[in-house]
Amino acid sequence: MNRFNLDKRLRDLGIYSDFYFRKELKPLTQVLRDDEMLNCVLTGVHEANRKMLAVTDRRLIIIFAGALADKAFTVIRRSAVKEYHFEKKFLFSKLSILTNSGDEFVFTNTQGSVKDLFDWAMRQPIPEGE
């Protein structure tokens, strides 16, 4: 996916103004496939670093674009997500994701304003064969 299409999709989702300046968007364009639909983006603190979580119709992509990044991407198939919990608070919202293999991903200090969008993105059907 190119940056123009990514920016258009962020506008369609109503979150462009919240994320257009994020440095994680450049690597996101490199990892998104043309047949994927981006449904949600949020940021949070995961493993003591601010990271971006992108939810597509097929995958959850965790991106760390820091200067000292040892691993830029973590990819989780949506079909591998066992459960998730988004705790919306006025400040310091929290998202936790548990996979079928028992891995847990916790994001603190997330944007509570994207809770409904995240829930919607996770309810979207996963394409056949994924």
Side-chain angles (χ1 to χ4, degrees):
M1 175 178 281
N2 63 40
R3 182 60 192 254
F4 176 79
N5 291 337
L6 177 62
D7 289 347
K8 182 181 181 320
R9 182 62 181 157
L10 291 175
R11 282 187 193 92
D12 292 345
L13 294 170
I15 56 175
Y16 176 78
S17 62
D18 295 333
F19 297 100
Y20 72 93
F21 59 90
R22 298 296 308 186
K23 61 186 170 191
E24 292 91 346
L25 291 181
K26 183 176 181 180
L28 180 60
T29 61
Q30 298 166 354
V31 74
L32 283 176
R33 301 185 310 229
D34 288 335
D35 63 344
E36 275 183 302
M37 177 63 70
L38 180 67
N39 290 328
C40 182
V41 173
L42 61 87
T43 61
V45 176
H46 173 257
E47 297 177 340
N49 290 300
R50 171 100 13 216
K51 298 181 183 178
M52 176 178 279
L53 173 67
V55 181
T56 74
D57 57 343
R58 302 167 190 266
R59 307 181 289 168
L60 280 75
I61 304 165
I62 301 169
I63 303 167
F64 176 52
L68 302 175
D70 59 342
K71 186 174 183 183
F73 301 102
T74 302
V75 177
I76 306 164
R77 288 187 343 267
R78 283 225 4 248
S79 59
V81 175
K82 182 177 182 179
E83 62 184 54
Y84 67 90
H85 178 72
F86 199 122
E87 184 179 343
K88 182 178 178 178
K89 294 183 178 180
F90 180 68
L91 295 173
F92 310 118
S93 295
K94 178 180 171 181
L95 169 65
S96 58
I97 300 166
L98 182 64
T99 66
N100 293 328
S101 62
D103 295 326
E104 184 175 24
F105 299 87
V106 177
F107 293 84
T108 57
N109 299 339
T110 63
Q111 299 86 3
S113 61
V114 298
K115 179 188 185 309
D116 293 338
L117 182 63
F118 179 81
D119 287 338
W120 171 82
M122 293 301 289
R123 287 192 311 267
Q124 296 305 300
I126 299 171
E128 295 286 326
E130 288 297 320

